[in-house]
Amino acid sequence: FGLIEVLVSIVIVSIGLLGLAGLQTRALQENNAAYLRSQAGILVYDMFERLRSNSQGAASDNYNTATTSTTDDTLAATDLLDWKSEISRT
């Protein structure tokens, strides 16, 4: 009878440990998602600061990546190139 009690307790502990392993996996996934969200926020803030420092280029729509025309503002082109390379690196 004592052996059955030990076996039942081992099964219960094993189920609990499997639950903890699943919880750990989920926590790691959520941690990775939070890291990616924070990196995206940092990149957005970086571009915001670039736009704020070159307000004339931003007002003349030199930072618009949807347009195919080349811009005369070399600072905006440099900012976009640096920012895109930072995105690919991140």
Side-chain angles (χ1 to χ4, degrees):
F1 186 71
L3 188 59
I4 293 174
E5 288 179 356
V6 170
L7 286 173
V8 169
S9 65
I10 288 175
V11 168
I12 291 172
V13 169
S14 298
I15 291 172
L17 289 176
L18 285 174
L20 285 176
L23 185 65
Q24 179 71 21
T25 303
R26 180 72 177 177
L28 287 173
Q29 290 171 349
E30 293 298 323
N31 190 21
N32 188 33
Y35 171 74
L36 292 176
R37 278 193 303 273
S38 82
Q39 289 299 318
I42 289 169
L43 289 169
V44 167
Y45 188 73
D46 178 43
M47 181 49 81
F48 174 72
E49 288 297 321
R50 291 173 191 259
L51 287 167
R52 195 170 70 147
S53 68
N54 187 9
S55 59
Q56 289 178 342
S60 61
D61 204 26
N62 289 336
Y63 284 90
N64 190 356
T65 59
T67 60
T68 57
S69 64
T70 58
T71 60
D72 294 332
D73 189 4
T74 58
L75 181 58
T78 304
D79 284 345
L80 284 172
L81 183 66
D82 289 345
W83 190 65
K84 287 178 182 180
S85 68
E86 189 67 34
I87 286 175
S88 65
R89 204 175 357 190
T90 302

